[in-house]
Amino acid sequence: MLTHLAFSTMTLGGELWLPAVLSDHAVLQRASATPVWGKAVPDTEVHIAFADLTATVRSDGEGAWKTELDLSNTGPGPFSLKIRSGSDEVVLQDILVGEVWLASGQSNMVRTLGRTLGAEAEIPKSGN
């Protein structure tokens, strides 16, 4: 099933673990197969609830679990993400759904639109 977790992990109680990217104020990708994953007690059911969607999966022999949610028609939120396994439960708050972009580059990437040439004309036209 899942052999490792991306990024670092954080414990949320007894035996339930989630990757650090799944936390309060996260943004989930709007897609038909958005992954949600973590670790729990080996060979136990994990229940996931998000917006009007639910899923139940079973952790593998090492406790890893993963499911995919169809967020292609889900509004922007904010929503709560509830994950429960056995007596452990975590509720993440203020989760949004939208486009997730990762960018890297030079130091000029931190320049805000307000500091660019023509900002006064461009900012009022922006929908974002």
Side-chain angles (χ1 to χ4, degrees), residues 66-88:
K66 178 182 176 185
T67 190
E68 294 176 338
L69 301 175
D70 182 354
L71 302 182
S72 58
N73 294 315
T74 303
F79 298 104
S80 296
L81 173 61
K82 182 186 292 186
I83 301 172
R84 181 176 50 83
S85 181
S87 63
D88 293 333

Side-chain angles (χ1 to χ4, degrees), residues 99-117:
E99 293 298 317
V100 177
W101 294 79
L102 298 178
S104 66
Q106 299 175 337
S107 60
N108 63 358
M109 289 185 65
V110 299
R111 181 175 294 198
T112 62
L113 181 59
R115 294 179 52 207
T116 61
L117 184 63

Side-chain angles (χ1 to χ4, degrees), residues 5-96:
L5 300 176
F7 305 104
S8 64
T9 59
M10 61 182 201
T11 185
L12 299 167
E15 299 289 330
L16 188 58
W17 290 70
L18 293 177
V21 296
L22 294 177
S23 61
D24 289 338
H25 317 297
V27 179
L28 298 180
Q29 180 68 43
R30 181 182 321 282
S32 61
T34 302
V36 177
W37 70 100
K39 288 190 92 173
V41 173
D43 197 36
T44 59
E45 282 192 348
V46 179
H47 304 275
I48 300 97
F50 182 75
D52 60 350
L53 304 170
T54 60
T56 300
V57 296
R58 182 165 286 280
S59 61
D60 67 16
E62 295 180 4
W65 59 269
K66 178 182 176 185
T67 190
E68 294 176 338
L69 301 175
D70 182 354
L71 302 182
S72 58
N73 294 315
T74 303
F79 298 104
S80 296
L81 173 61
K82 182 186 292 186
I83 301 172
R84 181 176 50 83
S85 181
S87 63
D88 293 333
E89 180 177 276
V90 64
V91 179
L92 303 178
Q93 302 292 340
D94 191 35
I95 307 297
L96 302 178

